[in-house]
Amino acid sequence: MDTRKLFALLALMALLLPLMSACAKPTPEPTVEATVEATEEATEEATVEATEEATEEPTEEPAPEPDYDTDIYGYLEDVDPSGQEVTYWYQHTRSREELMLAMIDDFNRTNEWGITVVGESQGGYGDLFQNIIAGIPANQLPEMAVAYQNQAATYATQDVLVALDPYVASEKWGYTQAELDDFFPVALTADYLPQFGGRYGWPPYKSMEVMYYNEDWLVELGYDGPPETWEEFGEMACAAIENPFSGQTGEGPVLGYEYSVDASRFATFVFSRGGDIISEDGSEYVFNSDAGIATMSFWQELVEKGCAAQATEKYGDQTDFGNGRSLFTVSSISGLPYYGQAVSEGADFTWSVNPPPYGSDRSAPRMNIYGASQSIMTSTPEQQLAVWVFIKWLSEPEQQARWATSTGYFATRASAVALMQDYIDENPTYAKAFEFMKLDSGVESPVAGYDECRAAIAEMLTVILDGGAVQEEMDAAIEVCNEYLEEAAP
Amino acid sequence: MAATKQPVDVGVQHSLFSGQGGRHLREALQAYLFLLPGTFILFVFSLFPIGYALYISFHKWRIRKGDFIGLGNYLKALGTPQDAIFTLGGLGLLAGSWMLWRKIKSEEPVKITLLKALFAFLLIVGGLGFVLGFPQMLVNGDEDLFTALLITSYYSLGTVPFQIVLSFLLATVLFQNIRGKTTWRILYFLPYVTVTVASAAVWQSIYEPRRGLLNLFLVTLGMPAENVPKWLFEATPIGVYLGDLVGLSLPDWAGGPSLALVSVIIYNIWTYVGYNAVIYLAGLGNIPHSLYEAATIDGANRWEILRDITIPLVSPTTYFLVMMGVLGTFRAFNHIYVMTSVVGPIGAPRGTTMTTSMLIWKNFWSGNRFGYASALAFVLTGVLMSLTWVQKRISEGRVFYG
């Protein structure tokens, strides 16, 4: 019996030993720290050389110390990205992924530094976010990733993202002022993260929320154009359910406005009334303002009257719009090709897009222009620079035009428009929407914890649109969102 | 030198493994060597992750490890330490009193009075502790957790009894010599082997309010299109919903699960009835035919045979299926997630499908609260272990193993 116990103990120890060694502090991998050491050594060597040179040529002034952290970036003007291989995680699938892979292949073949980018699709935006969140504690991250601004903020709180300001400002690798002026201001504004006081993403393309409308049906209803204000929108939506479209096809009820429950839709409506989701400094959520209350009261009333209803299947709003069963939907402009397809396969009517209506106290629309940007994950200065070189290449007017004309997204540089002229001429709806880029716009919350808050907003929408008390539910959602904001803050 | 050492080694080996003790040692060594690979896998893939999750639950862990907060996450879920001690301690004492009550019957008369006094003490103190602690726990703890536990209970109670009854009836029918018996068995078993995500997505489209097959069928039967149920989109409690149909007004709290959850329950019953029936068929096959013959000779009718022979003798199967069913419903996630994803955020509509598993997922992935989600997972584990213990105790004396 004792012998058995002895062997049981020995067997247990044999089992625990590998586990204990696995739990032991791992030997630090020679990544960032090693790079820092290497950089310091290189800096010392460079300093010695510079001193020697300075001794030889006493008239040359020493270079000013850079205003960024050289431990992270190295000395940018001296960092060499040659021969680096970087992994890029994105959310594109199917035809968009094929295009992205083709572009990556072009970059890999043509860039003068021999940089190799390896593109890897992670599924949708949600999958991509989850994979990165899971990769952070496991130290299994790509060198580059697509990220919405709030997601970038979440990554930045974990110190796995680098600010792009030093790259943008670099004389050797950055942009000139003229080049920066070529970008639409709204595109560059969004990637500034107030919690960190820096830019953590770069936008080669953008999207926006627009209102899709059935032009033929509006004519049948006696209107000569799409609604400009929310009051007109409500009137037309309710008129539609009394007078179904003559060319409707398929099954289902007639709807004035068909919506999907989404925080970005709510943000769009709040922006259109002059409100905001979060305060400018990102310190608190403010969507229970007058604009927010007016938005939800109006929306709830539309639902109660039967003039608006939720889509009950995935992309049901597109299907019903295409079948001539819903007069309006509000959705991302990136859905433009899919709406076109739904209409041509459905009731085949004349349709178009417009900015979402605005509040009666405003005189012009205010858009929700958004879109994920490209972010650089912390790696070595050489790899980070290699990623920046690729991002800059993706942001060239030629690449922007290539991407935009194939996907329906918007280029972020004015000079790209000239390269897209044929496409713009062939696609008047896209051309019309492109003009909206110049309109006033709100920015969805670029703070850590907004992803969690979006779920709370979506929950709030379902409750209110099901008859819940507007003020009470909005206050409750604000409380939850602010709790997440505080919890996720850097 | 080597030649002189060799016999010494052999001698040591001889003394260690020879004789009665040596043989036991050798056998033990062999046994543990055989156990080693399995034990290693058990440690690495089961016990270590569980231990690590427990470690996470003691920390403020948002994506990365934060400060050690001890029982902080557990107290966030269960309220103050006093609430937890009163409630859990009270439940423990109540369980102890129950066990004691069962023991009293078999004790000698001398001890009975003493045990009865102890029983009364445990019952009063336990009950008092629970009554004092539980309401405070509801106030101070995580409201979402208690709501989720209630919804999970609805889900379990709505699923398991129906699964058991239907599968038993089905098995009884399939056990007869009917035509195409094998084909029927395969057909009923198919839902269980179908990929959950795929079948859940199909059911989601069946339930779709505007174009779904179910509502199209109801409209064909004459139900006005504007009155058809919204199924997965309907947050109204089923009692209230049905009450409205017959003109009876019920308060929400008395209404039970939402129609959305009932829709998911129906799917789950459909999935597992075939599987349970196959298990029951094995149980029915084990009942000796001679018992039926004897009962028939004694003049028992079909109902009496079913009540007095079949049901008692399949009770081990019933116990197994009930236990697995309860555990399964408390851990259910995939199909609920898939079926309700189109409705809105997780737990939609209006949080009425937010079972405990869904709440854990929400906190882990949607809220990045790794520490708190891990603590919730252990709370759920505690609930499951308690339920299993209660089931085991209830089944004692009721399950007949032949």
Side-chain angles (χ1 to χ4, degrees):
Chain A
M1 195 68 179
D2 288 344
T3 324
R4 287 185 183 189
K5 278 183 182 172
L6 172 72
F7 274 94
L9 191 66
L10 284 172
L12 189 67
M13 283 174 67
L15 281 170
L16 287 178
L17 266 175
L19 288 178
M20 286 166 72
S21 59
C23 294
K25 209 172 185 177
T27 313
E29 289 183 12
T31 51
V32 179
E33 285 177 26
T35 313
V36 170
E37 283 173 24
T39 314
E40 282 171 355
E41 281 172 26
T43 315
E44 281 170 23
E45 283 173 25
T47 315
V48 172
E49 282 173 24
T51 316
E52 283 169 8
E53 280 174 24
T55 320
E56 288 166 12
E57 295 175 61
T59 50
E60 197 174 306
E61 285 183 20
E65 196 60 25
D67 58 357
Y68 51 81
D69 190 342
T70 52
D71 287 350
I72 296 171
Y73 299 93
Y75 287 86
L76 273 182
E77 312 305 313
D78 299 332
V79 176
D80 180 11
S82 297
Q84 296 297 318
E85 180 175 312
V86 293
T87 308
Y88 172 33
W89 283 5
Y90 48 74
Q91 82 293 359
H92 309 300
T93 53
R94 293 182 288 180
S95 61
R96 285 179 182 173
E97 188 189 14
E98 284 170 21
L99 175 62
M100 178 51 73
L101 288 172
M103 291 176 75
I104 288 173
D105 191 44
D106 286 349
F107 173 78
N108 289 345
R109 281 189 292 102
T110 57
N111 79 84
E112 62 183 279
W113 298 274
I115 296 168
T116 305
V117 176
V118 180
E120 292 177 1
S121 175
Q122 302 297 307
Y125 280 110
D127 302 317
L128 173 61
F129 181 56
Q130 282 181 7
N131 290 351
I132 291 182
I133 292 295
I136 289 171
N139 283 327
Q140 289 175 345
L141 294 172
E143 282 74 39
M144 172 181 174
V146 171
Y148 274 108
Q149 292 69 34
N150 55 297
Q151 295 171 340
T154 299
Y155 306 152
T157 59
Q158 304 298 317
D159 294 327
V160 295
L161 220 56
V162 293
L164 305 187
D165 306 84
Y167 295 110
V168 178
S170 166
E171 277 189 26
K172 188 173 177 181
W173 306 105
Y175 285 105
T176 63
Q177 191 53 50
E179 287 173 322
L180 286 175
D181 291 344
D182 188 34
F183 283 86
F184 292 112
V186 66
L188 293 186
T189 312
D191 287 308
Y192 179 84
L193 305 184
Q195 289 173 317
F196 300 90
R199 174 182 306 286
Y200 284 78
W202 197 257
Y205 51 86
K206 279 284 170 194
S207 184
M208 65 172 74
E209 293 266 309
V210 292
M211 175 182 69
Y212 293 82
Y213 65 94
N214 183 328
E215 217 166 318
D216 288 349
W217 196 351
L218 279 179
V219 171
E220 285 182 13
L221 293 171
Y223 297 106
D224 55 6
E228 299 222 322
T229 64
W230 284 112
E231 285 69 25
E232 290 172 4
F233 178 90
E235 183 192 316
M236 293 179 190
C238 291
I241 57 168
E242 302 296 332
N243 304 280
F245 180 46
S246 59
Q248 68 176 11
T249 58
E251 299 284 338
V254 175
L255 301 165
Y257 165 50
E258 188 168 11
Y259 61 88
S260 49
V261 172
D262 188 284
S264 287
R265 212 112 311 133
F266 171 68
T268 301
F269 297 165
V270 174
F271 292 162
S272 74
R273 291 177 185 269
D276 280 306
I277 299 296
I278 198 167
S279 62
E280 202 173 331
D281 62 359
S283 62
E284 61 173 339
Y285 286 96
V286 294
F287 57 78
N288 60 347
S289 61
D290 290 347
I293 301 289
T295 292
M296 290 316 302
S297 302
F298 172 77
W299 199 346
Q300 188 185 52
E301 194 184 330
L302 271 189
V303 174
E304 281 170 358
K305 284 181 186 170
C307 308
Q310 186 184 351
T312 51
E313 58 189 345
K314 204 171 183 187
Y315 305 120
D317 44 358
Q318 280 178 15
T319 311
D320 286 334
F321 182 79
N323 287 341
R325 291 190 165 270
S326 97
L327 177 61
F328 301 120
T329 72
V330 176
S331 186
S332 165
I333 192 68
S334 64
L336 204 62
Y338 306 113
Y339 274 93
Q341 193 181 346
V343 171
S344 62
E345 289 174 0
D348 201 17
F349 50 84
T350 311
W351 62 283
S352 189
V353 296
N354 225 40
Y358 46 87
S360 51
D361 55 339
R362 288 181 60 82
S363 57
R366 185 163 178 249
M367 305 294 295
N368 182 11
I369 298 175
Y370 56 70
S373 292
Q374 313 294 335
S375 292
I376 303 179
M377 317 299 284
T378 310
S379 57
T380 65
E382 289 77 13
Q383 283 185 306
Q384 289 166 190
L385 183 58
V387 172
W388 171 251
V389 170
F390 177 57
I391 289 176
K392 212 177 158 200
W393 181 84
L394 276 180
S395 306
E396 286 174 0
E398 294 78 12
Q399 314 313 326
Q400 287 204 355
R402 184 180 175 186
W403 181 259
T405 53
S406 302
T407 60
Y409 279 100
F410 286 137
T412 53
R413 295 178 75 158
S415 56
V417 181
L419 304 171
M420 299 164 60
Q421 206 51 58
D422 290 346
Y423 180 79
I424 286 173
D425 291 343
E426 287 168 16
N427 295 279
T429 312
Y430 181 90
K432 182 181 178 185
F434 210 111
E435 291 300 308
F436 306 159
M437 285 286 279
K438 297 166 188 166
L439 296 173
D440 184 19
S441 169
V443 174
E444 278 200 56
S445 318
V447 294
Y450 182 53
D451 255 299
E452 295 90 314
C453 175
R454 286 175 67 86
I457 290 175
E459 180 65 32
M460 174 196 83
L461 292 179
T462 56
V463 175
I464 292 177
L465 297 177
D466 200 23
V470 174
Q471 184 76 59
E472 193 180 309
E473 295 298 334
M474 293 191 85
D475 290 348
I478 282 273
E479 195 177 326
V480 173
C481 285
N482 280 333
E483 192 184 321
Y484 277 121
L485 183 66
E486 190 183 338
E487 194 178 307
Chain B
M1 284 292 280
T4 46
K5 270 190 176 176
Q6 201 171 0
V8 177
D9 285 348
V10 170
V12 170
Q13 198 177 20
H14 179 76
S15 65
L16 198 61
F17 290 106
S18 62
Q20 184 77 358
R23 192 168 62 83
H24 284 153
L25 182 63
R26 200 166 56 246
E27 283 176 4
L29 185 63
Q30 282 172 349
Y32 285 118
L33 277 174
F34 277 116
L35 285 173
L36 195 63
T39 316
F40 181 75
I41 289 169
L42 186 72
F43 261 97
V44 172
F45 295 107
S46 292
L47 298 182
F48 178 69
I50 291 171
Y52 196 60
L54 189 67
Y55 175 72
I56 290 175
S57 73
F58 292 135
H59 290 80
K60 183 174 165 47
W61 200 303
R62 191 187 157 77
I63 304 176
R64 282 192 212 264
K65 191 175 96 172
D67 298 334
F68 176 81
I69 53 170
L71 294 173
N73 284 322
Y74 291 91
L75 294 178
K76 182 180 173 185
L78 300 174
T80 64
Q82 290 86 343
D83 302 338
I85 290 168
F86 272 73
T87 308
L88 302 179
L91 282 173
L93 292 176
L94 286 174
S97 67
W98 181 38
M99 287 179 71
L100 197 62
W101 180 252
R102 292 162 64 92
K103 192 177 162 62
I104 287 172
K105 293 172 187 170
S106 59
E107 286 297 333
E108 297 165 17
V110 187
K111 287 186 181 174
I112 284 180
T113 315
L114 191 67
L115 289 174
K116 275 186 176 173
L118 184 60
F119 162 75
F121 175 76
L122 291 178
L123 188 68
I124 291 167
V125 175
L128 206 59
F130 182 75
V131 167
L132 289 175
F134 190 60
Q136 285 303 306
M137 183 184 263
L138 292 179
V139 173
N140 298 323
D142 185 352
E143 191 187 344
D144 289 346
L145 170 66
F146 299 116
T147 309
L149 283 171
L150 178 68
I151 290 170
T152 314
S153 304
Y154 281 146
Y155 181 64
S156 192
L157 288 171
T159 305
V160 179
F162 289 100
Q163 271 177 0
I164 296 296
V165 172
L166 288 175
S167 59
F168 178 73
L169 292 176
L170 187 63
T172 312
V173 173
L174 292 177
F175 195 64
Q176 311 302 315
N177 282 323
I178 55 168
R179 198 181 168 88
K181 190 162 69 173
T182 312
T183 310
W184 286 113
R185 288 182 182 187
I186 292 171
L187 280 176
Y188 282 109
F189 196 67
L190 270 180
Y192 177 72
V193 291
T194 307
V195 176
T196 304
V197 173
S199 60
V202 169
W203 273 81
Q204 185 200 69
S205 71
I206 290 173
Y207 281 129
E208 203 273 328
R210 289 176 201 152
R211 284 178 283 266
L213 282 177
L214 196 53
N215 278 357
L216 289 179
F217 177 67
L218 291 176
V219 170
T220 312
L221 289 181
M223 184 180 265
E226 59 274 16
N227 290 346
V228 292
K230 290 196 286 177
W231 300 112
L232 293 165
F233 287 78
E234 185 61 71
T236 310
I238 184 73
V240 175
Y241 187 84
L242 294 176
D244 285 348
L245 288 182
V246 294
L248 192 71
S249 182
L250 274 179
D252 271 8
W253 60 264
S258 67
L259 182 57
L261 190 68
V262 171
S263 307
V264 180
I265 287 172
I266 292 170
Y267 163 82
N268 201 28
I269 292 171
W270 171 82
T271 306
Y272 282 95
V273 158
Y275 168 78
N276 288 0
V278 169
I279 305 290
Y280 263 129
L281 281 171
L284 289 171
N286 286 334
I287 300 174
H289 197 66
S290 55
L291 292 177
Y292 291 117
E293 285 172 352
T296 311
I297 291 166
D298 288 346
N301 61 30
R302 284 189 167 200
W303 164 243
E304 285 165 339
I305 289 174
L306 183 74
R307 187 190 62 198
D308 297 329
I309 296 177
T310 309
I311 291 176
L313 288 178
V314 293
S315 57
T317 310
T318 306
Y319 170 64
F320 168 76
L321 290 176
V322 168
M323 195 172 72
M324 297 309 287
V326 171
L327 291 177
T329 48
F330 268 76
R331 295 187 308 157
F333 176 80
N334 290 354
H335 57 281
I336 307 176
Y337 182 81
V338 171
M339 291 178 82
T340 58
S341 60
V342 72
V343 182
I346 188 159
R350 300 186 73 160
T352 59
T353 60
M354 185 75 83
T355 58
T356 322
S357 300
M358 298 275 277
L359 182 69
I360 292 169
W361 190 94
K362 182 188 172 190
N363 273 284
F364 195 93
W365 282 119
S366 184
N368 293 320
R369 293 165 162 168
F370 292 7
Y372 186 57
S374 299
L376 288 181
F378 278 99
V379 170
L380 178 61
T381 306
V383 171
L384 285 176
M385 288 172 75
S386 308
L387 283 176
T388 309
W389 181 84
V390 170
Q391 280 182 63
K392 190 168 159 35
R393 290 284 167 263
I394 289 176
S395 69
E396 278 172 4
R398 291 181 175 83
V399 175
F400 182 68
Y401 288 95

